[in-house]
Amino acid sequence: WPMLVQFGLDERSFTEDRVGLFDLEHHLWYLAELHVGDLVTVHSRFVARSVKRYHGVMFIVNRTRSRLASAFEYLSSGADLDARRTAPLPERFTAGFDRMLAVHARLAWPAPVCGVMSP
């Protein structure tokens, strides 16, 4: 939720404006166990977007054991919550998203993607 709020989508967007997001596809890689008491961090990397969809990867890093524990690749879409259909992403979302996408595009390492998803 904090990431969505950062990009302009909050509870009011969903309840009053009736715009939201639908998850369309996920790919998960479980790479190492997490144990009770391990310190973990979650990181997001955005890959691309179209008018309706965006593509990203999230990572769970086990800081206690200095290992990547999991990667989660996803494709999501804007949604009209009244019509219950995909819709263009709200402009207030895409403005912040595009700024972050530009930062992520300059990273020196390629995003680990499965190769079958795209916006």
Side-chain angles (χ1 to χ4, degrees):
W1 289 110
M3 182 177 65
L4 293 178
V5 170
Q6 178 184 354
F7 294 135
L9 292 181
D10 56 16
E11 186 176 348
R12 186 188 59 75
S13 302
F14 304 122
T15 59
E16 295 175 23
D17 299 339
R18 305 300 293 152
V19 298
L21 302 170
F22 290 154
D23 279 351
L24 302 176
E25 188 170 354
H26 297 160
H27 289 245
L28 297 168
W29 294 275
Y30 294 107
L31 305 167
E33 284 187 319
L34 296 172
H35 298 272
V36 173
D38 285 350
L39 175 65
V40 299
T41 55
V42 177
H43 307 269
S44 291
R45 169 115 184 233
F46 300 115
V47 179
R49 84 164 180 90
S50 68
V51 172
K52 285 187 174 183
R53 295 179 178 89
Y54 66 100
H55 182 195
V57 183
M58 297 182 85
F59 307 93
I60 297 176
V61 177
N62 186 328
R63 295 294 176 188
T64 301
R65 301 174 194 284
S66 300
R67 296 194 62 179
L68 178 61
S70 180
F72 165 71
E73 182 182 7
Y74 61 92
L75 184 65
S76 297
S77 178
D80 176 325
L81 297 179
D82 287 327
R84 303 304 295 168
R85 299 185 90 53
T86 63
L89 293 162
E91 282 187 34
R92 65 180 174 265
F93 177 81
T94 59
F97 186 87
D98 287 347
R99 284 192 297 276
M100 189 62 70
L101 186 59
V103 169
H104 291 179
R106 291 190 300 268
L107 293 173
W109 51 278
V113 296
C114 69
V116 298
M117 286 194 270
S118 67

